[in-house]
Amino acid sequence: MKVGVLGATGNVGQRFVQLLDDHPWFEIDALTASGDSAGETYADAAAWALPDEMPDGVADTTVRETSADSVSDDVELVFSALPSSVAKEVEPEFADEGYIVASNAGWARLEDDVPLVVPEINPDHLGLLEVQRDERGWDGGIIKNPNCSAITMTPTLAALHPLGLNEVTVATLQAVSGAGYMGVTSMEILDNVLPYIGSEEWKMENEPRKILGEFDGARVDEADINISASCNRVPTVDGHLENVWCRFDDDVTADDAKEALRDFTTLDLPTAPEQTILVREENDRPQPRLDRNAGGGMSIVAGRVRDDGDKRLKYSCLSHNTVRGAAGASVLNAELVAERYL
Ligand SMILES: NC(=O)c1ccc[n+]([C@@H]2O[C@H](COP(=O)([O-])OP(=O)(O)OC[C@H]3O[C@@H](n4cnc5c(N)ncnc54)[C@H](OP(=O)(O)O)[C@@H]3O)[C@@H](O)[C@H]2O)c1
């Protein structure tokens, strides 16, 4: 299937280009960015920042303007790594023209007819694409993956939910790549921690409730879990680490929780990791440098799972914010759509 990448020159866009290189189902046909980059080769327009070399096939590709007119009709699906303000204008245009948009951008994640999907948790929410098409008159549709900090803890919450999870407190230590290529300056972040990330706490407190909610064929009834988040930017490059405190209806042991985490659903899709949640036993894991690439950057790594008194547990979890937290999540969503709908 021919695909396009919107916002291909940025942090997340580069991850898309890397993950789509040699993908068994998808082939890049179009790369788009802002008017400043349009007309340049991808090699000139993208300040390539990944350790692996830029894939051969894309270096000489001409970057296009980001509009449905600039993408060929042969393309069925586009990945969006656009800033949210731009995505809000552009993504509906693509959906209206018949493209499936697998989007990272924050806008519309909580709108009633927009599927916010983690394939291992709520693949059935894809049914909202039909609702969306009916309501908006689109031939295509928009499917979202969660914010990079929300997606780190949400699979762990999904694994623990059947044990009677009712309350979550979380503090994050988020890598600088999560702010985008031009996001935080070295003078802001070196020798420092920023204890505020705009709108991040709100996303963490709300997105998991929708993802863990019940889809009844028309709408999603959000899960009844109280979540309180405190988000911090720290001077790591990639990998969001999160400390989570959970409360349950009844006592749950750390061993029960570890078993539920280890046994959580895995999928047979090209980008799905062999194990969705890895549980480490060492006292000093997970760590961003050591654990962010687990499962090709698609596994969530949990550790320090321990009792915390009356009906409470606490643990740490980590994922790669531009892979599981962004481009990899969109590619996995697209694989699910392709397998079930296209
Ligand atoms: N970084 C993460 O860990 C992460 C995780 C989850 C979700 N996200 C979301 O993913 C999206 C991309 O994030 P990022 O970190 O990759 O940002 P970024 O590094 O700033 O890249 C932004 C991309 O959008 C393009 N762009 C900017 N303004 C545009 C316009 N007016 N028209 C068309 N294209 C435009 C840029 O092209 P030029 O190079 O030409 O400017 C670039 O390709 C954001 O919505 C972000 O919130 C990011």
Side-chain angles (χ1 to χ4, degrees):
M1 182 188 299
K2 290 187 189 300
V3 299
V5 180
L6 315 180
T9 51
N11 247 343
V12 175
Q14 292 183 21
R15 280 284 174 203
F16 274 121
V17 168
Q18 183 196 44
L19 292 172
L20 293 169
D21 184 39
D22 286 334
H23 190 282
W25 300 357
F26 303 136
E27 181 193 346
I28 293 178
D29 188 74
L31 299 172
T32 84
S34 75
D36 291 344
S37 303
E40 294 186 38
T41 63
Y42 187 69
D44 286 340
W48 189 256
L50 301 179
D52 296 336
E53 293 292 317
M54 180 183 287
D56 286 342
V58 295
D60 293 333
T61 302
T62 302
V63 175
R64 306 176 193 187
E65 297 237 13
T66 302
S67 75
D69 292 343
S70 64
V71 174
S72 133
D73 290 344
D74 295 343
V75 169
E76 286 182 70
L77 186 147
V78 292
F79 296 100
S80 170
L82 294 167
S84 198
S85 56
V86 179
K88 190 174 181 176
E89 304 300 322
V90 168
E91 290 176 1
E93 183 195 326
F94 275 87
D96 194 30
E97 290 291 327
Y99 298 94
I100 297 287
V101 183
S103 166
N104 272 282
W107 86 278
R109 283 195 189 119
L110 295 183
E111 288 187 17
D112 285 348
D113 61 348
V114 175
L116 176 62
V117 172
V118 179
E120 292 94 339
I121 303 175
N122 61 341
D124 60 313
H125 290 202
L126 269 190
L128 279 176
L129 278 177
E130 290 305 321
V131 178
Q132 192 186 97
R133 285 175 174 171
D134 285 350
E135 286 184 2
R136 306 201 191 212
W138 290 341
D139 292 329
I142 297 176
I143 171 173
K144 297 271 168 180
N145 48 270
N147 164 266
C148 49
S149 50
I151 204 170
T152 301
M153 80 169 172
T154 305
T156 67
L157 304 187
L160 300 176
H161 196 204
L163 304 182
L165 179 70
N166 59 39
E167 193 176 295
V168 175
T169 306
V170 55
T172 69
L173 297 94
Q174 298 181 221
V176 291
S177 61
Y181 195 73
M182 303 295 280
V184 285
T185 67
S186 51
M187 287 302 285
E188 285 173 297
I189 198 67
L190 289 175
D191 186 31
N192 207 8
V193 172
L194 304 174
Y196 171 72
I197 303 175
S199 72
E200 199 84 350
E201 290 164 0
W202 182 84
K203 292 175 189 170
M204 286 202 81
E205 290 168 357
N206 289 285
E207 291 180 12
R209 289 158 48 86
K210 177 171 178 180
I211 296 161
L212 298 181
E214 297 278 334
F215 177 55
D216 67 4
R219 60 181 299 281
V220 173
D221 188 17
E222 288 188 353
D224 187 15
I225 303 176
N226 282 322
I227 303 175
S228 175
S230 187
C231 295
N232 303 279
R233 185 78 65 199
V234 300
T236 47
V237 175
D238 290 316
H240 291 352
L241 177 62
E242 302 181 354
N243 295 323
V244 185
W245 292 259
C246 288
R247 188 183 177 88
F248 296 84
D249 296 335
D250 296 303
D251 280 330
V252 172
T253 67
D255 284 341
D256 289 342
K258 283 189 230 178
E259 191 179 330
L261 293 166
R262 284 198 181 99
D263 289 350
F264 190 61
T265 315
T266 55
L267 295 177
D268 186 19
L269 289 170
T271 301
E274 264 178 39
Q275 192 160 353
T276 304
I277 304 173
L278 296 162
V279 180
R280 308 273 332 190
E281 293 291 351
E282 304 91 323
N283 279 335
D284 59 355
R285 301 286 282 274
Q287 295 181 21
R289 250 193 326 184
L290 300 183
D291 294 308
R292 62 191 167 207
N293 291 322
M298 289 298 287
S299 287
I300 312 295
V301 184
R304 304 210 64 216
V305 183
R306 56 215 195 275
D307 296 321
D308 192 31
D310 185 30
K311 300 177 186 169
R312 289 178 178 276
L313 286 176
K314 53 186 171 181
Y315 60 93
S316 301
C317 55
L318 175 138
S319 78
H320 197 303
N321 54 292
T322 64
V323 185
R324 176 55 97 159
S330 280
V331 174
L332 191 57
N333 277 352
E335 289 167 0
L336 186 73
V337 174
E339 185 193 57
R340 300 201 176 180
Y341 286 88
L342 299 177

